[in-house]
PDB file of all heavy atoms in Angstrom:
ATOM      1  N   GLN A   1      23.561 -13.319 -14.707  1.00 96.00           N
ATOM      2  CA  GLN A   1      23.146 -14.048 -15.907  1.00 96.00           C
ATOM      3  C   GLN A   1      23.886 -13.490 -17.142  1.00 96.00           C
ATOM      4  O   GLN A   1      24.261 -12.334 -17.135  1.00 96.00           O
ATOM      5  CB  GLN A   1      21.667 -13.881 -16.159  1.00 96.00           C
ATOM      6  CG  GLN A   1      20.750 -14.379 -15.083  1.00 96.00           C
ATOM      7  CD  GLN A   1      19.283 -14.062 -15.338  1.00 96.00           C
ATOM      8  OE1 GLN A   1      18.955 -13.069 -16.002  1.00 96.00           O
ATOM      9  NE2 GLN A   1      18.399 -14.891 -14.772  1.00 96.00           N
ATOM     10  N   ALA A   2      24.014 -14.322 -18.153  1.00 98.00           N
ATOM     11  CA  ALA A   2      24.421 -13.864 -19.510  1.00 98.00           C
ATOM     12  C   ALA A   2      23.125 -13.833 -20.323  1.00 98.00           C
ATOM     13  O   ALA A   2      22.301 -14.740 -20.232  1.00 98.00           O
ATOM     14  CB  ALA A   2      25.422 -14.824 -20.125  1.00 98.00           C
ATOM     15  N   ARG A   3      22.975 -12.781 -21.151  1.00 96.00           N
ATOM     16  CA  ARG A   3      21.751 -12.645 -21.942  1.00 96.00           C
ATOM     17  C   ARG A   3      22.155 -12.244 -23.376  1.00 96.00           C
ATOM     18  O   ARG A   3      23.069 -11.489 -23.601  1.00 96.00           O
ATOM     19  CB  ARG A   3      20.832 -11.582 -21.364  1.00 96.00           C
ATOM     20  CG  ARG A   3      20.191 -12.043 -20.044  1.00 96.00           C
ATOM     21  CD  ARG A   3      19.299 -10.984 -19.480  1.00 96.00           C
ATOM     22  NE  ARG A   3      18.594 -11.455 -18.350  1.00 96.00           N
ATOM     23  CZ  ARG A   3      17.285 -11.568 -18.248  1.00 96.00           C
ATOM     24  NH1 ARG A   3      16.506 -11.232 -19.272  1.00 96.00           N
ATOM     25  NH2 ARG A   3      16.726 -12.026 -17.133  1.00 96.00           N
ATOM     26  N   LYS A   4      21.382 -12.775 -24.329  1.00 97.00           N
ATOM     27  CA  LYS A   4      21.571 -12.461 -25.721  1.00 97.00           C
ATOM     28  C   LYS A   4      21.208 -10.972 -25.936  1.00 97.00           C
ATOM     29  O   LYS A   4      20.167 -10.526 -25.425  1.00 97.00           O
ATOM     30  CB  LYS A   4      20.672 -13.309 -26.590  1.00 97.00           C
ATOM     31  CG  LYS A   4      20.922 -14.767 -26.547  1.00 97.00           C
ATOM     32  CD  LYS A   4      19.905 -15.504 -27.419  1.00 97.00           C
ATOM     33  CE  LYS A   4      19.872 -16.957 -27.162  1.00 97.00           C
ATOM     34  NZ  LYS A   4      18.812 -17.640 -27.984  1.00 97.00           N
ATOM     35  N   VAL A   5      22.018 -10.250 -26.664  1.00 97.00           N
ATOM     36  CA  VAL A   5      21.715  -8.859 -26.944  1.00 97.00           C
ATOM     37  C   VAL A   5      20.488  -8.767 -27.861  1.00 97.00           C
ATOM     38  O   VAL A   5      19.666  -7.879 -27.708  1.00 97.00           O
ATOM     39  CB  VAL A   5      22.945  -8.161 -27.606  1.00 97.00           C
ATOM     40  CG1 VAL A   5      22.610  -6.799 -28.156  1.00 97.00           C
ATOM     41  CG2 VAL A   5      24.115  -8.084 -26.618  1.00 97.00           C
ATOM     42  N   SER A   6      20.335  -9.720 -28.741  1.00 97.00           N
ATOM     43  CA  SER A   6      19.229  -9.657 -29.747  1.00 97.00           C
ATOM     44  C   SER A   6      17.836  -9.726 -29.116  1.00 97.00           C
ATOM     45  O   SER A   6      16.930  -9.076 -29.597  1.00 97.00           O
ATOM     46  CB  SER A   6      19.381 -10.776 -30.758  1.00 97.00           C
ATOM     47  OG  SER A   6      19.287 -12.052 -30.088  1.00 97.00           O
ATOM     48  N   ASN A   7      17.664 -10.522 -28.072  1.00 97.00           N
ATOM     49  CA  ASN A   7      16.310 -10.705 -27.540  1.00 97.00           C
ATOM     50  C   ASN A   7      16.203 -10.805 -26.001  1.00 97.00           C
ATOM     51  O   ASN A   7      15.170 -11.156 -25.467  1.00 97.00           O
ATOM     52  CB  ASN A   7      15.651 -11.950 -28.156  1.00 97.00           C
ATOM     53  CG  ASN A   7      16.401 -13.236 -27.840  1.00 97.00           C
ATOM     54  OD1 ASN A   7      17.314 -13.255 -27.015  1.00 97.00           O
ATOM     55  ND2 ASN A   7      16.010 -14.310 -28.479  1.00 97.00           N
ATOM     56  N   ASP A   8      17.304 -10.538 -25.314  1.00 95.00           N
ATOM     57  CA  ASP A   8      17.356 -10.529 -23.866  1.00 95.00           C
ATOM     58  C   ASP A   8      17.125 -11.926 -23.210  1.00 95.00           C
ATOM     59  O   ASP A   8      16.875 -12.022 -22.020  1.00 95.00           O
ATOM     60  CB  ASP A   8      16.392  -9.508 -23.298  1.00 95.00           C
ATOM     61  CG  ASP A   8      16.764  -9.000 -21.903  1.00 95.00           C
ATOM     62  OD1 ASP A   8      17.947  -8.804 -21.654  1.00 95.00           O
ATOM     63  OD2 ASP A   8      15.870  -8.883 -21.043  1.00 95.00           O
ATOM     64  N   GLU A   9      17.244 -13.036 -23.958  1.00 96.00           N
ATOM     65  CA  GLU A   9      17.092 -14.337 -23.393  1.00 96.00           C
ATOM     66  C   GLU A   9      18.369 -14.755 -22.621  1.00 96.00           C
ATOM     67  O   GLU A   9      19.482 -14.446 -23.071  1.00 96.00           O
ATOM     68  CB  GLU A   9      16.846 -15.390 -24.500  1.00 96.00           C
ATOM     69  CG  GLU A   9      15.480 -15.352 -25.090  1.00 96.00           C
ATOM     70  CD  GLU A   9      15.306 -16.421 -26.160  1.00 96.00           C
ATOM     71  OE1 GLU A   9      16.221 -17.207 -26.434  1.00 96.00           O
ATOM     72  OE2 GLU A   9      14.223 -16.435 -26.780  1.00 96.00           O
ATOM     73  N   ILE A  10      18.170 -15.460 -21.511  1.00 96.00           N
ATOM     74  CA  ILE A  10      19.324 -16.025 -20.769  1.00 96.00           C
ATOM     75  C   ILE A  10      20.006 -17.060 -21.654  1.00 96.00           C
ATOM     76  O   ILE A  10      19.329 -17.840 -22.352  1.00 96.00           O
ATOM     77  CB  ILE A  10      18.815 -16.638 -19.473  1.00 96.00           C
ATOM     78  CG1 ILE A  10      18.119 -15.605 -18.619  1.00 96.00           C
ATOM     79  CG2 ILE A  10      19.979 -17.273 -18.707  1.00 96.00           C
ATOM     80  CD1 ILE A  10      17.401 -16.183 -17.385  1.00 96.00           C
ATOM     81  N   ALA A  11      21.341 -17.055 -21.627  1.00 97.00           N
ATOM     82  CA  ALA A  11      22.097 -17.937 -22.516  1.00 97.00           C
ATOM     83  C   ALA A  11      23.339 -18.525 -21.808  1.00 97.00           C
ATOM     84  O   ALA A  11      23.926 -17.879 -20.933  1.00 97.00           O
ATOM     85  CB  ALA A  11      22.541 -17.170 -23.771  1.00 97.00           C
ATOM     86  N   GLY A  12      23.728 -19.695 -22.171  1.00 98.00           N
ATOM     87  CA  GLY A  12      24.948 -20.336 -21.687  1.00 98.00           C
ATOM     88  C   GLY A  12      24.815 -20.814 -20.246  1.00 98.00           C
ATOM     89  O   GLY A  12      23.712 -20.730 -19.658  1.00 98.00           O
ATOM     90  N   THR A  13      25.881 -21.334 -19.712  1.00 98.00           N
ATOM     91  CA  THR A  13      25.915 -21.840 -18.353  1.00 98.00           C
ATOM     92  C   THR A  13      27.167 -21.418 -17.651  1.00 98.00           C
ATOM     93  O   THR A  13      28.233 -21.190 -18.271  1.00 98.00           O
ATOM     94  CB  THR A  13      25.852 -23.403 -18.367  1.00 98.00           C
ATOM     95  OG1 THR A  13      26.919 -23.901 -19.144  1.00 98.00           O
ATOM     96  CG2 THR A  13      24.523 -23.917 -18.920  1.00 98.00           C
ATOM     97  N   PHE A  14      27.079 -21.315 -16.361  1.00 98.00           N
ATOM     98  CA  PHE A  14      28.233 -21.007 -15.535  1.00 98.00           C
ATOM     99  C   PHE A  14      28.840 -22.326 -15.086  1.00 98.00           C
ATOM    100  O   PHE A  14      28.143 -23.211 -14.591  1.00 98.00           O
ATOM    101  CB  PHE A  14      27.842 -20.151 -14.344  1.00 98.00           C
ATOM    102  CG  PHE A  14      27.518 -18.742 -14.762  1.00 98.00           C
ATOM    103  CD1 PHE A  14      26.194 -18.413 -15.092  1.00 98.00           C
ATOM    104  CD2 PHE A  14      28.494 -17.765 -14.899  1.00 98.00           C
ATOM    105  CE1 PHE A  14      25.844 -17.135 -15.541  1.00 98.00           C
ATOM    106  CE2 PHE A  14      28.149 -16.466 -15.338  1.00 98.00           C
ATOM    107  CZ  PHE A  14      26.854 -16.136 -15.644  1.00 98.00           C
ATOM    108  N   ILE A  15      30.186 -22.473 -15.257  1.00 98.00           N
ATOM    109  CA  ILE A  15      30.836 -23.713 -14.919  1.00 98.00           C
ATOM    110  C   ILE A  15      31.788 -23.612 -13.755  1.00 98.00           C
ATOM    111  O   ILE A  15      32.154 -24.578 -13.155  1.00 98.00           O
ATOM    112  CB  ILE A  15      31.553 -24.317 -16.145  1.00 98.00           C
ATOM    113  CG1 ILE A  15      32.576 -23.352 -16.730  1.00 98.00           C
ATOM    114  CG2 ILE A  15      30.516 -24.722 -17.158  1.00 98.00           C
ATOM    115  CD1 ILE A  15      33.460 -23.952 -17.806  1.00 98.00           C
ATOM    116  N   ILE A  16      32.170 -22.382 -13.419  1.00 97.00           N
ATOM    117  CA  ILE A  16      32.972 -22.131 -12.194  1.00 97.00           C
ATOM    118  C   ILE A  16      32.355 -20.927 -11.482  1.00 97.00           C
ATOM    119  O   ILE A  16      32.102 -19.870 -12.113  1.00 97.00           O
ATOM    120  CB  ILE A  16      34.486 -21.819 -12.540  1.00 97.00           C
ATOM    121  CG1 ILE A  16      35.103 -23.049 -13.230  1.00 97.00           C
ATOM    122  CG2 ILE A  16      35.229 -21.457 -11.277  1.00 97.00           C
ATOM    123  CD1 ILE A  16      36.529 -22.847 -13.643  1.00 97.00           C
ATOM    124  N   ILE A  17      32.068 -21.145 -10.193  1.00 97.00           N
ATOM    125  CA  ILE A  17      31.479 -20.097  -9.373  1.00 97.00           C
ATOM    126  C   ILE A  17      32.259 -19.987  -8.039  1.00 97.00           C
ATOM    127  O   ILE A  17      32.896 -20.927  -7.639  1.00 97.00           O
ATOM    128  CB  ILE A  17      29.991 -20.379  -9.103  1.00 97.00           C
ATOM    129  CG1 ILE A  17      29.800 -21.691  -8.344  1.00 97.00           C
ATOM    130  CG2 ILE A  17      29.197 -20.379 -10.424  1.00 97.00           C
ATOM    131  CD1 ILE A  17      28.361 -21.967  -7.914  1.00 97.00           C
ATOM    132  N   PRO A  18      32.242 -18.801  -7.429  1.00 96.00           N
ATOM    133  CA  PRO A  18      33.053 -18.625  -6.179  1.00 96.00           C
ATOM    134  C   PRO A  18      32.318 -19.183  -4.984  1.00 96.00           C
ATOM    135  O   PRO A  18      31.102 -19.466  -5.021  1.00 96.00           O
ATOM    136  CB  PRO A  18      33.134 -17.111  -6.098  1.00 96.00           C
ATOM    137  CG  PRO A  18      31.905 -16.608  -6.791  1.00 96.00           C
ATOM    138  CD  PRO A  18      31.617 -17.562  -7.869  1.00 96.00           C
ATOM    139  N   PRO A  19      33.049 -19.385  -3.861  1.00 94.00           N
ATOM    140  CA  PRO A  19      32.444 -19.798  -2.620  1.00 94.00           C
ATOM    141  C   PRO A  19      31.351 -18.768  -2.238  1.00 94.00           C
ATOM    142  O   PRO A  19      31.466 -17.577  -2.556  1.00 94.00           O
ATOM    143  CB  PRO A  19      33.569 -19.775  -1.586  1.00 94.00           C
ATOM    144  CG  PRO A  19      34.822 -19.832  -2.428  1.00 94.00           C
ATOM    145  CD  PRO A  19      34.504 -19.197  -3.755  1.00 94.00           C
ATOM    146  N   GLY A  20      30.307 -19.222  -1.520  1.00 93.00           N
ATOM    147  CA  GLY A  20      29.236 -18.299  -1.118  1.00 93.00           C
ATOM    148  C   GLY A  20      28.210 -18.099  -2.236  1.00 93.00           C
ATOM    149  O   GLY A  20      27.411 -17.154  -2.148  1.00 93.00           O
ATOM    150  N   SER A  21      28.296 -18.921  -3.293  1.00 95.00           N
ATOM    151  CA  SER A  21      27.340 -18.777  -4.401  1.00 95.00           C
ATOM    152  C   SER A  21      26.886 -20.185  -4.811  1.00 95.00           C
ATOM    153  O   SER A  21      27.445 -21.169  -4.439  1.00 95.00           O
ATOM    154  CB  SER A  21      27.976 -18.032  -5.608  1.00 95.00           C
ATOM    155  OG  SER A  21      29.052 -18.727  -6.106  1.00 95.00           O
ATOM    156  N   LYS A  22      25.784 -20.188  -5.604  1.00 94.00           N
ATOM    157  CA  LYS A  22      25.258 -21.445  -6.117  1.00 94.00           C
ATOM    158  C   LYS A  22      24.593 -21.227  -7.461  1.00 94.00           C
ATOM    159  O   LYS A  22      24.209 -20.113  -7.810  1.00 94.00           O
ATOM    160  CB  LYS A  22      24.230 -22.068  -5.100  1.00 94.00           C
ATOM    161  CG  LYS A  22      22.973 -21.219  -4.952  1.00 94.00           C
ATOM    162  CD  LYS A  22      22.016 -21.847  -3.944  1.00 94.00           C
ATOM    163  CE  LYS A  22      20.731 -21.050  -3.844  1.00 94.00           C
ATOM    164  NZ  LYS A  22      19.840 -21.615  -2.826  1.00 94.00           N
ATOM    165  N   LEU A  23      24.470 -22.313  -8.224  1.00 96.00           N
ATOM    166  CA  LEU A  23      23.826 -22.282  -9.540  1.00 96.00           C
ATOM    167  C   LEU A  23      22.335 -22.391  -9.404  1.00 96.00           C
ATOM    168  O   LEU A  23      21.833 -23.077  -8.528  1.00 96.00           O
ATOM    169  CB  LEU A  23      24.344 -23.412 -10.418  1.00 96.00           C
ATOM    170  CG  LEU A  23      25.830 -23.389 -10.777  1.00 96.00           C
ATOM    171  CD1 LEU A  23      26.226 -24.706 -11.468  1.00 96.00           C
ATOM    172  CD2 LEU A  23      26.160 -22.165 -11.651  1.00 96.00           C
ATOM    173  N   LEU A  24      21.629 -21.656 -10.284  1.00 92.00           N
ATOM    174  CA  LEU A  24      20.176 -21.788 -10.378  1.00 92.00           C
ATOM    175  C   LEU A  24      19.838 -22.283 -11.781  1.00 92.00           C
ATOM    176  O   LEU A  24      20.641 -22.067 -12.706  1.00 92.00           O
ATOM    177  CB  LEU A  24      19.509 -20.399 -10.220  1.00 92.00           C
ATOM    178  CG  LEU A  24      19.288 -19.862  -8.820  1.00 92.00           C
ATOM    179  CD1 LEU A  24      18.581 -18.494  -8.901  1.00 92.00           C
ATOM    180  CD2 LEU A  24      18.475 -20.792  -7.950  1.00 92.00           C
ATOM    181  N   THR A  25      18.681 -22.850 -11.915  1.00 94.00           N
ATOM    182  CA  THR A  25      18.203 -23.229 -13.248  1.00 94.00           C
ATOM    183  C   THR A  25      16.966 -22.380 -13.525  1.00 94.00           C
ATOM    184  O   THR A  25      15.846 -22.679 -13.042  1.00 94.00           O
ATOM    185  CB  THR A  25      17.825 -24.743 -13.239  1.00 94.00           C
ATOM    186  OG1 THR A  25      18.988 -25.503 -12.901  1.00 94.00           O
ATOM    187  CG2 THR A  25      17.274 -25.149 -14.576  1.00 94.00           C
ATOM    188  N   CYS A  26      17.173 -21.336 -14.315  1.00 93.00           N
ATOM    189  CA  CYS A  26      16.036 -20.500 -14.747  1.00 93.00           C
ATOM    190  C   CYS A  26      15.386 -21.151 -15.975  1.00 93.00           C
ATOM    191  O   CYS A  26      14.180 -21.330 -16.003  1.00 93.00           O
ATOM    192  CB  CYS A  26      16.469 -19.090 -15.015  1.00 93.00           C
ATOM    193  SG  CYS A  26      16.818 -18.148 -13.491  1.00 93.00           S
ATOM    194  N   PHE A  27      16.216 -21.429 -17.011  1.00 90.00           N
ATOM    195  CA  PHE A  27      15.696 -22.072 -18.206  1.00 90.00           C
ATOM    196  C   PHE A  27      16.498 -23.380 -18.529  1.00 90.00           C
ATOM    197  O   PHE A  27      15.939 -24.298 -19.076  1.00 90.00           O
ATOM    198  CB  PHE A  27      15.724 -21.129 -19.402  1.00 90.00           C
ATOM    199  CG  PHE A  27      14.785 -19.979 -19.172  1.00 90.00           C
ATOM    200  CD1 PHE A  27      15.287 -18.727 -18.809  1.00 90.00           C
ATOM    201  CD2 PHE A  27      13.397 -20.139 -19.265  1.00 90.00           C
ATOM    202  CE1 PHE A  27      14.420 -17.653 -18.566  1.00 90.00           C
ATOM    203  CE2 PHE A  27      12.546 -19.078 -19.015  1.00 90.00           C
ATOM    204  CZ  PHE A  27      13.041 -17.846 -18.705  1.00 90.00           C
ATOM    205  N   GLU A  28      17.761 -23.414 -18.156  1.00 93.00           N
ATOM    206  CA  GLU A  28      18.559 -24.607 -18.286  1.00 93.00           C
ATOM    207  C   GLU A  28      19.530 -24.673 -17.140  1.00 93.00           C
ATOM    208  O   GLU A  28      19.854 -23.663 -16.514  1.00 93.00           O
ATOM    209  CB  GLU A  28      19.254 -24.679 -19.657  1.00 93.00           C
ATOM    210  CG  GLU A  28      20.355 -23.685 -19.873  1.00 93.00           C
ATOM    211  CD  GLU A  28      21.076 -23.909 -21.213  1.00 93.00           C
ATOM    212  OE1 GLU A  28      21.998 -24.747 -21.245  1.00 93.00           O
ATOM    213  OE2 GLU A  28      20.713 -23.230 -22.160  1.00 93.00           O
ATOM    214  N   ASN A  29      20.036 -25.874 -16.848  1.00 93.00           N
ATOM    215  CA  ASN A  29      20.918 -26.060 -15.690  1.00 93.00           C
ATOM    216  C   ASN A  29      22.067 -25.115 -15.677  1.00 93.00           C
ATOM    217  O   ASN A  29      22.789 -24.989 -16.651  1.00 93.00           O
ATOM    218  CB  ASN A  29      21.463 -27.531 -15.659  1.00 93.00           C
ATOM    219  CG  ASN A  29      20.498 -28.497 -15.054  1.00 93.00           C
ATOM    220  OD1 ASN A  29      19.569 -28.139 -14.338  1.00 93.00           O
ATOM    221  ND2 ASN A  29      20.712 -29.755 -15.388  1.00 93.00           N
ATOM    222  N   GLY A  30      22.240 -24.384 -14.536  1.00 94.00           N
ATOM    223  CA  GLY A  30      23.421 -23.523 -14.408  1.00 94.00           C
ATOM    224  C   GLY A  30      23.444 -22.267 -15.171  1.00 94.00           C
ATOM    225  O   GLY A  30      24.511 -21.657 -15.326  1.00 94.00           O
ATOM    226  N   ASP A  31      22.302 -21.794 -15.696  1.00 96.00           N
ATOM    227  CA  ASP A  31      22.332 -20.556 -16.511  1.00 96.00           C
ATOM    228  C   ASP A  31      22.357 -19.317 -15.676  1.00 96.00           C
ATOM    229  O   ASP A  31      22.519 -18.176 -16.195  1.00 96.00           O
ATOM    230  CB  ASP A  31      21.182 -20.565 -17.520  1.00 96.00           C
ATOM    231  CG  ASP A  31      19.780 -20.554 -16.886  1.00 96.00           C
ATOM    232  OD1 ASP A  31      19.683 -20.496 -15.624  1.00 96.00           O
ATOM    233  OD2 ASP A  31      18.837 -20.643 -17.641  1.00 96.00           O
ATOM    234  N   THR A  32      22.190 -19.440 -14.368  1.00 95.00           N
ATOM    235  CA  THR A  32      22.129 -18.299 -13.464  1.00 95.00           C
ATOM    236  C   THR A  32      22.881 -18.633 -12.176  1.00 95.00           C
ATOM    237  O   THR A  32      22.937 -19.782 -11.784  1.00 95.00           O
ATOM    238  CB  THR A  32      20.657 -17.962 -13.131  1.00 95.00           C
ATOM    239  OG1 THR A  32      19.947 -17.706 -14.354  1.00 95.00           O
ATOM    240  CG2 THR A  32      20.520 -16.767 -12.180  1.00 95.00           C
ATOM    241  N   VAL A  33      23.554 -17.583 -11.598  1.00 96.00           N
ATOM    242  CA  VAL A  33      24.248 -17.780 -10.356  1.00 96.00           C
ATOM    243  C   VAL A  33      23.630 -16.819  -9.309  1.00 96.00           C
ATOM    244  O   VAL A  33      23.369 -15.653  -9.663  1.00 96.00           O
ATOM    245  CB  VAL A  33      25.777 -17.505 -10.475  1.00 96.00           C
ATOM    246  CG1 VAL A  33      26.476 -17.823  -9.185  1.00 96.00           C
ATOM    247  CG2 VAL A  33      26.380 -18.289 -11.590  1.00 96.00           C
TER     248      VAL A  33
END
């Protein structure tokens, strides 16, 4: 995940991921791999 330094919230989305992985939606589509 990417997280804001200010408050530790998950931020942004992953748009390219390697084989053997998948996107998760923790708070918004694709914010976690």
Side-chain angles (χ1 to χ4, degrees):
Q1 299 174 334
R3 290 179 174 244
K4 299 177 194 177
V5 170
S6 63
N7 62 10
D8 204 40
E9 286 181 1
I10 300 171
T13 56
F14 289 90
I15 57 172
I16 298 177
I17 61 174
S21 63
K22 66 181 182 181
L23 295 172
L24 280 181
T25 300
C26 286
F27 296 103
E28 68 176 276
N29 278 340
D31 62 5
T32 301
V33 185

